Amino acid sequence: MRFQLLFFSLCLCFSLNNAQPAGKAIVSRIVFEGDFKLSDEKMSSAIGIAKNNIFDPSLMKPMIDKLIKYYYEQGYLYAQVDSVTRQYSYDNKTVNLNIYGHSGYPTYYGKINIFADSLDINKYIQLLDIKENDRYAPVLMENNFTYLLNYAADQGYPFTKIEIENISFNKIEEKNYADVTLRINEGKKIYIKGFQISGNVYTNDNVILRELYMGKKDVYSKTAVDEIPAQLMRLQIFKDAVIDGISLIEEDSVIINIGIEEGNSIMVDGVIGYVPEKSGTKSDGNITGLFNLSLKNIFGTGRKFDVHWQKPDTYSEEFNLRYTEPWVLDYPVAISIGLDRTVRDSSFIKWDTFLNTRVRILKNLSAIAGISRKLAYPDSVSSRNNRLLRNEVINLELGLEYDTRDYPINPRSGLFYSNSYAYGFKNNYGPSYILIEDSISSNEELQTLQLEFGWYYNPENDSWTFAEQSVDYVFTRSSAVNSQIPLPKGIIMPSDEWKSRKSGNIFPLYNTEQYLQDEEISDDLHFIAAGQKDINDPFIRKMKSCLLYTSPSPRDR
């Protein structure tokens, strides 16, 4: 009788623990029992059920299938789940899952044989990211198919097909191997018959076609076609550019369809105001204003013309004029000319003229050259008080530029590199008493070497965008910068800290008192923290003496 009662209670306990409750239970624990090679954390992530999730019994079979698939993708082709048990709490609010099984031994790649109709087999083998004795992974094999197909498409075979002709499994010295045989059928070599452009209501077709660096009868290249949108967006006249598809019109010829969405070719903005005279003073009221005109695509030719005028107060004014000819005589030679006139209250007048050229050597490589002339005329009083000279600066610049960015204004991918050397003359015309008293030479040589680099990568691939997209400067009281922050152009530190840590990319921050009184002011870039109450005559005079006569290269305009 005792035996019968005990047996009944054990059966009842088992039935209760495995019965399906009426309500939803919460997963309390997941236990993997058996010879599983991968971690519990990875397996829990693979099945899509975690602790504290609501348990749905209908998902049991999909859960097992996900686990088997995950092991298969990791090269465990003989993984198996024997059973899954559920143990519910006495109130049916929680459940423990016990998964029994084993992963088996992993399988490795053995011999990989490739047969191709047209291209060199050895090149295909070099492109493979999988080698003998690598862990067998079907997903990795599929990714390698992409490499091979892209290579074939760049050689003029965009319709290449890859077939897994055979996979044979064998065991050598207790290790499982998979020998793989691939058959690659490239088909016919494809040539470009022409281009079909749509959406360019205003822009001439030839403005688009001349940027492609590919034409009729050229061998098709997938990489070259994929780069077309980025090449067109660099013109900065389109809102969007895409490849709308490729049309096979003959068995060996295609037409590439390009879709264009044009941006605003004319931008105008301006404002005008009047500042009345101040009560109790003899000053008259004055007109202030701002005007900008930008023609980005004159008559659909890609030519650009810009005008900027600003008058912030009675005695100050800025005027800038620019014109760019993108292709001179149908050659990839761009010429930009400009004129700047700056008036700063009663301190000085500055004229700046320049001529820049850009000669495209290759699709993404250009030679750059520029010449500029700057004239500065300080007021006689300002010249005497601030020791400013009438001067003329002539600069000549030469350099190289490499640019694969998808959009120069706001790049998301690509590389930018620029290196230039500028040589110039500065003629100081006087006043002569300043030249004598301050021992300033009437003629000076100026040499400047510039290096600029930017790397941009699509954030969808979980990578930093470097250069303009990263921070330019970081303020800190320590020279150490968090390694998680993209490398900045410089580190800003309080001037007291800077004095003990001087280096090429560390710059000081002054308050106004330090800036006016400190004898050890950085000759390089420095920063000043100033509020409205700090902007007084001594501060303005010192700022002018530091800023008026810098000599930028011709391209810095």
Side-chain angles (χ1 to χ4, degrees):
M1 185 66 178
R2 288 182 182 177
F3 174 78
Q4 290 177 342
L5 290 173
L6 178 60
F7 179 77
F8 175 75
S9 67
L10 287 174
C11 290
L12 179 62
C13 178
F14 179 81
S15 176
L16 288 174
N17 283 337
N18 289 275
Q20 180 175 335
K24 295 290 185 180
I26 302 298
V27 176
S28 175
R29 189 175 59 167
I30 302 175
V31 179
F32 296 91
E33 299 283 357
D35 186 18
F36 286 110
K37 302 297 184 183
L38 303 179
S39 68
D40 290 0
E41 182 181 357
K42 290 182 178 179
M43 289 189 289
S44 295
S45 176
I47 64 178
I49 299 177
K51 185 178 179 181
N52 297 324
N53 286 171
I54 295 176
F55 176 67
D56 185 352
S58 66
L59 298 179
M60 289 289 288
K61 186 178 185 308
M63 177 186 73
I64 295 172
D65 293 340
K66 287 180 181 178
L67 183 60
I68 296 298
K69 180 181 178 183
Y70 177 69
Y71 265 97
Y72 184 81
E73 291 172 347
Q74 306 305 312
Y76 293 88
L77 307 186
Y78 306 101
Q80 182 176 328
V81 173
D82 298 324
S83 63
V84 179
T85 63
R86 296 165 285 173
Q87 294 178 329
Y88 290 93
S89 62
Y90 71 94
D91 57 2
N92 292 327
K93 290 184 177 180
T94 61
V95 60
N96 294 335
L97 300 180
N98 298 284
I99 302 174
Y100 299 89
H102 59 87
S103 59
Y105 292 101
T107 300
Y108 300 88
Y109 282 105
K111 294 181 180 179
I112 302 175
N113 302 306
I114 298 178
F115 298 95
D117 295 338
S118 302
L119 297 176
D120 185 5
I121 295 174
N122 292 323
K123 183 61 178 179
Y124 281 126
I125 294 175
Q126 292 174 10
L127 290 171
L128 282 177
D129 200 24
I130 50 177
K131 308 297 180 185
E132 288 189 30
N133 294 313
D134 286 353
R135 181 76 61 83
Y136 181 84
V139 174
L140 185 59
M141 175 65 77
E142 293 174 6
N143 292 339
N144 275 260
F145 284 179
T146 302
Y147 304 150
L148 303 184
L149 291 172
N150 287 342
Y151 166 71
D154 280 345
Q155 308 307 309
Y157 299 96
F159 304 114
T160 298
K161 297 179 181 179
I162 299 178
E163 177 186 355
I164 300 178
E165 194 169 79
N166 183 53
I167 300 179
S168 61
F169 297 94
N170 55 79
K171 195 170 186 178
I172 303 175
E173 297 180 356
E174 300 302 319
K175 291 184 71 174
N176 299 320
Y177 289 94
D179 296 333
V180 181
T181 301
L182 302 179
R183 171 70 63 178
I184 303 177
N185 179 16
E186 291 94 349
K188 282 188 171 292
K189 198 167 193 175
I190 301 299
Y191 296 86
I192 296 174
K193 186 76 171 183
F195 300 88
Q196 182 67 45
I197 305 172
S198 61
N200 57 323
V201 179
Y202 184 67
T203 306
N204 299 332
D205 282 358
N206 72 298
V207 173
I208 298 171
L209 295 174
R210 69 192 184 190
E211 297 294 328
L212 304 185
Y213 272 76
M214 56 192 309
K216 295 180 179 180
K217 299 183 180 180
D218 284 356
V219 175
Y220 178 91
S221 169
K222 180 182 183 300
T223 299
V225 172
D226 290 344
E227 290 176 350
I228 287 177
Q231 291 170 241
L232 297 179
M233 292 302 290
R234 283 179 218 151
L235 294 174
Q236 302 182 44
I237 60 177
F238 300 127
K239 188 176 180 180
D240 196 15
V242 296
I243 299 299
D244 279 340
I246 300 169
S247 303
L248 184 65
I249 58 171
E250 298 176 9
E251 64 177 5
D252 64 347
S253 301
V254 295
I255 286 181
I256 299 172
N257 302 302
I258 303 173
I260 296 296
E261 183 179 355
E262 294 189 303
N264 295 327
S265 59
I266 302 176
M267 297 182 64
V268 182
D269 67 89
V271 63
I272 191 167
Y274 178 76
V275 179
E277 61 182 80
K278 296 180 180 179
S279 60
T281 66
K282 296 182 180 180
S283 62
D284 297 328
N286 64 279
I287 294 176
T288 63
L290 171 70
F291 175 76
N292 288 306
L293 171 64
S294 180
L295 307 178
K296 296 183 178 181
N297 190 10
I298 300 174
F299 302 121
T301 61
R303 297 182 176 96
K304 295 180 173 65
F305 180 74
D306 297 282
V307 178
H308 167 76
W309 171 81
Q310 183 176 8
K311 187 172 180 61
D313 54 54
T314 305
Y315 303 106
S316 299
E317 186 179 32
E318 291 182 7
F319 177 75
N320 311 110
L321 194 65
R322 304 281 188 277
Y323 174 76
T324 300
E325 179 69 33
W327 281 60
V328 178
L329 300 177
D330 289 331
Y331 288 97
V333 179
I335 294 180
S336 298
I337 58 175
L339 169 68
D340 296 336
R341 179 178 182 270
T342 305
V343 180
R344 281 288 176 267
D345 49 60
S346 58
S347 299
F348 72 96
I349 298 175
K350 183 173 65 174
W351 289 88
D352 193 359
T353 55
F354 63 89
L355 171 67
N356 295 330
T357 61
R358 181 185 306 275
V359 181
R360 198 178 306 178
I361 303 171
L362 300 173
K363 180 166 59 176
N364 299 314
L365 180 66
S366 300
I368 53 177
I371 185 170
S372 68
R373 180 173 181 258
K374 184 174 73 172
L375 298 170
Y377 302 99
D379 178 79
S380 58
V381 176
S382 178
S383 179
R384 182 179 65 254
N385 293 340
N386 297 320
R387 316 298 288 178
L388 303 180
L389 297 169
R390 297 190 306 275
N391 64 59
E392 176 188 36
V393 176
I394 298 176
N395 260 335
L396 177 65
E397 181 186 32
L398 297 172
L400 288 174
E401 189 173 281
Y402 181 79
D403 189 1
T404 64
R405 294 173 297 177
D406 59 343
Y407 190 55
I409 296 177
N410 184 25
R412 293 165 297 177
S413 63
L415 179 72
F416 177 78
Y417 171 82
S418 178
N419 189 14
S420 64
Y421 170 76
Y423 181 81
F425 294 96
K426 182 178 182 180
N427 299 314
N428 297 310
Y429 296 123
S432 58
Y433 69 89
I434 296 180
L435 295 175
I436 296 172
E437 293 175 1
D438 295 349
S439 301
I440 298 175
S441 174
S442 58
N443 297 298
E444 298 178 282
E445 287 187 3
L446 305 173
Q447 298 187 66
T448 305
L449 182 65
Q450 284 190 334
L451 177 64
E452 185 176 356
F453 174 77
W455 173 51
Y456 309 86
Y457 202 58
N458 196 324
E460 292 179 359
N461 292 332
D462 194 26
S463 296
W464 283 104
T465 299
F466 183 71
E468 279 87 357
Q469 292 294 87
S470 64
V471 295
D472 288 336
Y473 297 94
V474 172
F475 175 78
T476 178
R477 294 186 179 276
S478 168
S479 59
V481 177
N482 189 332
S483 62
Q484 297 301 314
I485 300 175
L487 183 66
K489 294 179 181 177
I491 300 171
I492 304 171
M493 303 183 68
S495 59
D496 295 338
E497 294 287 336
W498 167 78
K499 291 179 181 179
S500 61
R501 299 173 182 265
K502 294 179 183 178
S503 71
N505 71 329
I506 297 180
F507 306 102
L509 173 66
Y510 301 96
N511 58 37
T512 51
E513 183 179 353
Q514 292 171 328
Y515 184 65
L516 292 173
Q517 298 179 4
D518 200 331
E519 296 181 357
E520 190 179 359
I521 297 294
S522 170
D523 293 331
D524 206 337
L525 177 66
H526 50 266
F527 296 83
I528 305 166
Q532 185 174 359
K533 62 182 179 63
D534 300 314
I535 309 301
N536 50 34
D537 289 340
F539 178 80
I540 293 173
R541 282 197 298 269
K542 185 154 188 176
M543 286 287 290
K544 288 178 179 178
S545 66
C546 293
L547 299 177
L548 291 184
Y549 294 103
T550 57
S551 179
S553 67
R555 285 191 303 122
D556 293 341
R557 298 173 172 85

